[in-house]
Amino acid sequence: MRPFEYARALDGPDAVARFRPGTMYLGGGTNLVDLMRLGVAEPDHLVDVSRLPFDRVEASDGGLRIGAAVRNSDLAAHPLVRERYPMLARALLAGASGQVRNMATVAGNLLQRTRCPYFQDVTKACNKRVPGSGCPAIPGDHRNHAIIGHSEACVAVHPSDMAVALAALEARVHVTGPDGDRVVPIPGLHRLPGTEPHRDTVLEPGELITTVELPSPPAGSSQYRKVRERASFAFALVSVAAVLDVGGDGTVRGCRLALGGVAHVPWRAERAERALLGAPATEEEFVRAADAELDQARPLPRNGYKVPLSRNLIVRTLRELTP
Amino acid sequence: MNRVEAYDKVTGRAKYAYEYGVGEVAYAHLVQSTIARGRIRSIDPGQALAMPGVIAVLSSDDPPELGSLDDAELALLQSRAIAYRGQIVAVVVAETPEIARAAERAVRVEYDAEPHDVLLRPDHPGLYPPEKVNPGLPTDTERGDVAGGLADAAVTVDATYTTPTQHNNPMEPHAALAVWADGGLTLYDSSQGVSAERATAAKVLGLPPERVRVISRHVGGGFGSKGTIRPHAVAAALAARATGRPVKIAVTRQQMFEVTGYRTPTIQRLRLGADADGRLTAIAHDVVEQTSTIVEFAEQTATPTRVMYATPALRTTHRLLRLDLPTPSWMRAPGECPGMYALESAMDELAVAAGIDPIELRVMNEPLTEPESGLPFSSRNLVACLREGARRFGWERRDPEPGIRLDGRWLVGTGVASSTYPARRMASRATATAEDGGFIVRIAAADIGTGARTALTRIAAQTLGTSTERVRVEIGDSALPQASLAGGSMGTASWGSAVVKACEAMLKNGAVGSADTTEDVEADSGFARHAFGAQFAEVRVDIDTGELRVPRLLGVFAAGRIIDDSLARSQFIGGMTMGMGMALMEETVVDEEFGDFLNHDLAQYHVAACADVLDIDAVWIEEEDPYLNPMGSKGIGEIGIVGTAAAIANAVYHATGRRIRDLPITPDKLVS
């Protein structure tokens, strides 16, 4: 890897003050260090934010405030998460391996890069890595790539499990940066690729995630289900985070659905949610809702299987959540 | 007994190739071609050489002097021609591995690229019959009237099966340390056979063999990929010679995909015919597979079909295609593994078509002699393995109807397949001496994680009539008596023969015994020697998602006398786990645009994780075979992987009613 400078930030303002062009923030390093070895990321300066005081999980206003540097394994094991947001715990535990989760931070998980093999190989073109160089995944192997919201410039998917659960839970990300603090909702943090696939998120240079805030848990029961090629340590082919609240009359009072493995972002399935609200909680309605969402799917020649897989997974998960 | 090196391994004291300490060491990193076919126009190392800490850049601008160019994969930096993407075009040497790796990207190589051809297909005009298939077997065989046998059959199967490119991926990446002194070379390498590696290294470097020493005391898995010297070790030797420094090299996981061999993809057409009772009337097994444009490697894929079943008509063929890809190489159970996947899948299809239980079909077609050669078997207990497995697995309760067992959202099914692997041995030498109140056995054998050191200790102790604590076995050094490699499931049989002979000689004269089994091995003829086994699998397929789990895997093997129960079990279930990976997930994707292997790390090339391996068991039946070797043992390193994929694929059919003929069986192929 290329030589770089390393500095450990003392606090949030110190980290932001140290930021200049060529700087990257270092969390657990489980993705960034790999990318540096591969030459995909070539920062001149690393500012280590893994030991900032953003390492606590606290109850607040009926919700939860999660420090950006909290380790994935700690978050998954936290009693408040297990008790009130079991879907988030499941999503975390569905990701990576025990060793990786022990290192990876919450903010790093949100900001991890796609595992598209072309992105990770500097000898090949990739619009996300080198804007304008092309996307070989479109004519090439894209079995694990996007079916929704992709563009001619990029068909990569976001790899996180945790982010899918956070999208369903309507988490908000607190950010500090050169221009002050702001709050970004999680559906909204990640961008669709459009013509600028090199921008994964709406964060501006130098902005640093300090806290992830969860509102109080939505009513109903929830589940996170992930389909992958082996029983552990594999990225999702498709995953779903679902919350379903069914009233005494058997109709859907509330529904949250988010999909992983299908888009450049953790995909909030709003069309399916709208289709279900007030509808009877029946298999037919679940199918109708899933189809309403997947109507907009534009699978590539080799990943068409993700459409029936997504549909089946949505229907199956909602059925299991129906009382 | 525990493995004799167990304590060294768990405490980290066991040294692997990269861990040897030596002063003044420099570090090499490989620079690889970014085109799949064409020529190097220019190499500019200027920017790399200007980096602080960079010592040298070796390239074909100044080709290093070699003794032999026979093996084009080892004749490094001699030619400007590019035969595949990832071919070594330069070697950077620097003060640290990080600098070497950074400098690799600073070496500017310009190419004149030509269109490449990387896709194996059965209708390619370039397909040709090689002169022989590995390891020197006939390319094609034909006996009896195959066309007539198929035409007269009451039941036929005509199906094509494919297996993808697969990579060995041992836990320890290939690594070497090269040290020159007094005109001789010491090579610490991760090797499955130091004697053969010494011979090849000497030949390639133009040295007399006695000036080369190869040391490889501990190896973190090889599976064939360390069976022959790989280019990284030659690169280290050349870099050390050029710089006058000891040079270490570690091949990255990504580089392993191009530099350390792989299993060819296969396209296999199976035609089986049987009479109304299920007796085979004909078998035709036609294989299409690949090699590179620079070295011919012909996997012996159809050869197990020459061994397995009685039939009046039998044809096997191999056709090779030279593609602009790296040369395939040895991967666990080369030939038998992909070939038996296809044959045993076809046998299952025949059983379904004929309405016969798949075990009974196999029993009914049990041959009296080896079908192709007519030789008597030294021992053959396939039927006993099938029967014992059926009993343990609960086969008699099985309803053959496919696609009808639903447990919650899981479709459940079971499958069976036969397994086989040749029982061979090669000539080796060994010495045994009485020293310090105990015994020392010396042989240039290799323990690649199999437990060979322990097995040889037991063999020696038994021959000497002493306890294993009083025997020390020294292996992994070419300065020891010359031995064959750990490959082809021949290690224990080959080395054990020499160890027994040396120990017996020592008992006779009381102090020193030495042995050479060349003549013993040359006398091994007159019998067909194979191990056999039966593999049983239960699978569950999620009807919504196509996810596939294997709750039960059982292997029953007949492999002569088992020398060490726990080592044998470890070998068997290790092989079966790899077979599960082959069935469900292992696949190297060829990138047609760039002409290389697209997925090249363990995040994207999936092998079975611990969570995938549920109830797995391997057992064996007692088998007496006096025609093998002094131990009465057959090799067990590879038979565990043979047949597993077919048993799982057959179980998938039984569970779902769908026959997936293209491995791996991933959820995308099952979801609907």
Side-chain angles (χ1 to χ4, degrees):
Chain A
M1 63 179 75
R2 219 168 59 159
F4 57 89
E5 283 179 19
Y6 169 91
R8 189 182 299 168
L10 304 170
D11 53 28
D14 181 49
V16 172
R18 288 174 180 276
F19 190 93
R20 53 205 148 124
T23 298
M24 293 184 82
Y25 294 130
L26 174 70
T30 58
N31 184 212
L32 178 56
V33 174
D34 272 355
L35 293 177
M36 289 170 69
R37 284 206 188 96
L38 295 171
V40 174
E42 295 196 305
D44 298 314
H45 317 282
L46 276 188
V47 173
D48 186 344
V49 295
S50 67
R51 291 173 228 204
L52 297 191
F54 309 135
D55 59 349
R56 293 169 64 183
V57 179
E58 298 169 313
S60 81
D61 300 335
L64 212 57
R65 291 175 61 85
I66 303 163
V70 170
R71 307 286 166 168
N72 285 194
S73 47
D74 291 337
L75 184 60
H78 197 281
L80 286 173
V81 173
R82 293 173 63 94
E83 206 177 290
R84 305 183 58 205
Y85 304 92
M87 178 175 73
L88 175 59
R90 288 202 180 93
L92 282 158
L93 294 174
S97 68
Q99 294 90 333
V100 173
R101 293 193 295 270
N102 285 342
M103 291 295 291
T105 63
V106 166
N109 185 321
L110 283 172
L111 300 182
Q112 65 180 305
R113 312 299 308 273
T114 185
R115 298 313 198 278
C116 172
Y118 298 97
F119 172 72
Q120 295 187 96
D121 186 342
V122 295
T123 68
K124 296 180 179 179
C126 171
N127 287 324
K128 185 180 278 298
R129 201 181 60 246
V130 183
S133 61
C135 176
I138 292 174
D141 188 85
H142 49 243
R143 273 178 288 182
N144 296 331
H145 287 65
I147 56 170
I148 297 183
H150 47 78
S151 71
E152 287 177 16
C154 182
V155 295
V157 294
H158 195 265
S160 172
D161 291 296
M162 181 192 75
V164 180
L166 291 181
L169 293 169
E170 300 190 340
R172 289 150 34 105
V173 169
H174 292 249
V175 175
T176 186
D179 298 326
D181 298 349
R182 64 178 177 135
V183 178
V184 182
I186 289 247
L189 171 68
H190 299 94
R191 296 178 67 259
L192 288 177
T195 56
E196 294 182 308
H198 58 284
R199 295 180 58 210
D200 287 356
T201 70
V202 300
L203 296 186
E204 298 295 334
E207 284 194 315
L208 176 71
I209 297 176
T210 58
T211 305
V212 174
E213 179 195 350
L214 293 183
S216 55
S221 46
S222 65
Q223 181 59 281
Y224 184 79
R225 223 164 131 10
K226 175 180 184 178
V227 177
R228 46 185 156 179
E229 285 184 5
R230 60 180 171 188
S232 79
F233 211 2
F235 292 97
L237 300 175
V238 175
S239 68
V240 62
V243 185
L244 186 68
D245 182 25
V246 179
D249 61 352
T251 62
V252 174
R253 276 196 306 222
C255 175
R256 305 265 188 90
L257 273 176
L259 297 171
V262 299
H264 197 256
V265 301
W267 184 265
R268 185 72 183 265
E270 290 171 358
R271 294 187 191 184
E273 292 177 7
R274 278 200 301 273
L276 274 178
L277 212 57
T282 62
E283 174 115 8
E284 286 151 28
E285 292 300 321
F286 297 153
V287 172
R288 196 172 61 81
D291 285 341
E293 190 66 41
L294 295 166
D295 265 358
Q296 61 193 311
R298 297 288 175 270
L300 300 157
R302 297 185 197 185
N303 69 359
Y305 74 95
K306 285 193 175 185
V307 177
L309 179 54
S310 301
R311 185 202 302 114
N312 295 355
L313 193 60
I314 291 170
V315 173
R316 152 84 159 269
T317 308
L318 291 173
R319 189 199 305 122
E320 287 174 357
L321 290 174
T322 305
Chain B
M1 69 184 285
N2 283 330
R3 292 190 186 217
V4 293
E5 75 284 3
Y7 187 81
D8 286 348
K9 280 187 174 166
V10 297
T11 57
R13 234 171 36 192
K15 269 191 189 155
Y16 293 78
Y18 197 75
E19 298 176 317
Y20 282 87
V22 57
E24 298 294 302
V25 69
Y27 295 85
H29 198 85
L30 305 174
V31 184
Q32 296 172 278
S33 161
T34 56
I35 64 162
R37 183 186 176 94
R39 291 188 70 77
I40 299 167
R41 190 191 312 143
S42 64
I43 299 178
D44 176 8
Q47 220 176 312
L49 288 169
M51 291 171 63
V54 174
I55 300 164
V57 176
L58 283 65
S59 78
S60 53
D61 275 356
D62 180 13
E65 197 178 314
L66 293 179
S68 163
L69 309 181
D70 290 353
D71 185 333
E73 290 280 13
L74 299 178
L76 296 187
L77 315 176
Q78 302 297 304
S79 158
R80 299 179 87 78
I82 296 298
Y84 58 88
R85 200 173 199 267
Q87 193 170 8
I88 297 164
V89 296
V91 179
V92 178
V93 191
E95 297 291 346
T96 71
E98 290 82 8
I99 295 171
R101 192 165 182 179
E104 174 247 313
R105 296 204 181 97
V107 176
R108 298 279 158 233
V109 186
E110 302 286 332
Y111 299 95
D112 293 315
E114 295 166 19
H116 56 251
D117 187 2
V118 294
L119 201 61
L120 181 67
R121 37 177 247 252
D123 57 350
H124 196 290
L127 287 167
Y128 72 98
E131 203 167 299
K132 295 275 182 194
V133 296
N134 298 327
L137 298 170
T139 299
D140 296 349
T141 61
E142 182 147 12
R143 185 174 55 72
D145 178 6
V146 172
L150 289 171
D152 296 343
V155 189
T156 56
V157 169
D158 182 352
T160 298
Y161 306 87
T162 68
T163 62
T165 304
Q166 296 158 347
H167 277 81
N168 289 298
N169 277 312
M171 191 69 88
E172 180 205 14
H174 296 59
L177 163 63
V179 185
W180 289 87
D182 308 324
L185 171 69
T186 302
L187 202 51
Y188 300 84
D189 194 13
S190 187
S191 170
Q192 292 177 223
V194 288
S195 297
E197 175 151 341
R198 177 178 74 162
T200 312
K203 186 178 169 201
V204 170
L205 296 167
L207 292 168
E210 59 273 16
R211 305 300 289 275
V212 177
R213 182 176 176 191
V214 179
I215 295 172
S216 189
R217 294 204 176 91
H218 297 283
V219 179
F223 314 118
S225 71
K226 298 169 182 173
T228 51
I229 188 171
R230 302 301 315 182
H232 71 280
V234 177
L238 295 177
R241 194 176 69 185
T243 59
R245 303 263 300 264
V247 168
K248 270 191 187 183
I249 189 165
V251 180
T252 68
R253 180 65 62 180
Q254 287 83 5
Q255 290 174 332
M256 284 169 68
F257 280 73
E258 291 112 9
V259 175
T260 68
Y262 66 95
R263 195 198 303 280
T264 175
T266 69
I267 302 168
Q268 304 179 56
R269 184 176 181 194
L270 261 294
R271 274 169 287 183
L272 306 183
D275 65 20
D277 295 332
R279 283 192 177 74
L280 286 164
T281 56
I283 302 178
H285 189 169
D286 299 303
V287 178
V288 167
E289 52 196 13
Q290 77 192 32
T291 186
S292 70
T293 59
I294 53 175
V295 175
E296 183 175 273
F297 184 93
E299 178 128 346
Q300 65 273 42
T301 304
T303 57
T305 300
R306 301 170 186 170
V307 173
M308 285 306 296
Y309 299 114
T311 175
L314 172 62
R315 190 181 79 211
T316 59
T317 69
H318 298 84
R319 294 294 174 269
L320 273 189
L321 183 59
R322 294 190 181 99
L323 290 173
D324 301 314
L325 284 167
T327 310
S329 186
W330 312 102
M331 181 159 170
R332 206 164 193 172
E336 273 73 17
C337 180
M340 285 291 277
Y341 157 67
L343 175 64
E344 291 301 295
S345 296
M347 285 295 281
D348 197 68
E349 297 208 43
L350 184 67
V352 170
I356 297 171
D357 177 80
I359 291 178
E360 297 311 318
L361 177 73
R362 288 172 172 87
V363 172
M364 189 184 304
N365 288 289
E366 178 72 0
L368 293 173
T369 58
E370 189 180 53
E372 185 56 43
S373 68
L375 286 171
F377 289 102
S378 65
S379 58
R380 175 174 168 127
N381 284 296
L382 173 60
V383 171
C385 292
L386 288 163
R387 296 285 188 224
E388 176 64 10
R391 188 184 69 76
R392 288 172 176 263
F393 200 74
W395 190 262
E396 77 280 1
R397 294 192 299 273
R398 181 181 191 260
D399 179 346
E401 187 69 21
I404 58 164
R405 285 154 299 277
L406 198 60
D407 178 8
R409 304 294 290 177
W410 295 98
L411 282 165
V412 183
T414 51
V416 66
S418 301
S419 183
T420 186
Y421 198 79
R424 297 169 296 211
R425 60 174 178 164
M426 291 172 74
S428 290
R429 296 177 190 167
T431 62
T433 53
E435 287 177 37
D436 304 332
F439 305 94
I440 301 181
V441 172
R442 294 185 172 90
I443 180 167
D447 190 332
I448 59 172
T450 55
R453 194 183 266 107
T454 307
L456 294 180
T457 302
R458 289 187 77 133
I459 290 168
Q462 190 165 10
T463 311
L464 293 166
T466 187
S467 69
T468 52
E469 288 78 22
R470 294 184 64 204
V471 176
R472 194 171 88 231
V473 175
E474 293 183 0
I475 63 170
D477 185 338
S478 67
L480 297 165
Q482 181 185 327
S484 60
L485 83 167
S489 297
M490 290 182 281
T492 304
S494 308
W495 309 324
S497 297
V499 167
V500 168
K501 198 172 182 184
C503 289
E504 285 171 347
M506 196 217 74
L507 286 174
K508 267 185 208 154
N509 71 26
V512 183
S514 63
D516 180 341
T517 60
T518 304
E519 288 175 10
D520 310 68
V521 172
E522 278 168 2
D524 285 345
S525 60
F527 286 102
R529 296 175 176 84
H530 305 272
F532 290 90
Q535 304 251 13
F536 293 78
E538 178 182 325
V539 306
R540 296 162 78 81
V541 179
D542 187 303
I543 58 173
D544 296 311
T545 64
E547 287 165 290
L548 209 161
R549 298 288 178 262
V550 183
R552 279 201 297 159
L553 262 188
L554 170 68
V556 182
F557 301 98
R561 189 168 78 78
I562 297 300
I563 288 163
D564 182 300
D565 286 0
S566 62
L567 294 178
R569 180 183 149 77
S570 169
Q571 285 295 290
F572 288 137
I573 66 172
M576 292 164 68
T577 302
M578 287 183 155
M580 177 197 290
M582 174 188 180
L584 303 185
M585 55 199 89
E586 290 196 42
E587 178 178 21
T588 309
V589 176
V590 173
D591 184 345
E592 292 177 51
E593 178 179 352
F594 293 92
D596 68 350
F597 299 129
L598 179 64
N599 51 336
H600 53 195
D601 60 35
L602 292 175
Q604 297 178 57
Y605 183 92
H606 287 166
V607 298
C610 286
D612 292 295
V613 183
L614 302 169
D615 178 354
I616 186 167
D617 199 10
V619 297
W620 47 91
I621 62 171
E622 297 293 320
E623 187 176 69
E624 295 278 330
D625 186 334
Y627 306 112
L628 297 169
N629 54 54
M631 296 76 61
S633 66
K634 295 176 178 177
I636 55 172
E638 288 158 282
I639 192 168
I641 196 178
V642 179
T644 321
I648 290 172
N650 295 342
V652 169
Y653 170 78
H654 187 232
T656 64
R658 293 175 62 189
R659 183 71 67 175
I660 309 294
R661 299 188 182 89
D662 304 297
L663 295 185
I665 308 173
T666 42
D668 57 305
K669 292 172 183 163
L670 289 167
V671 74
S672 53

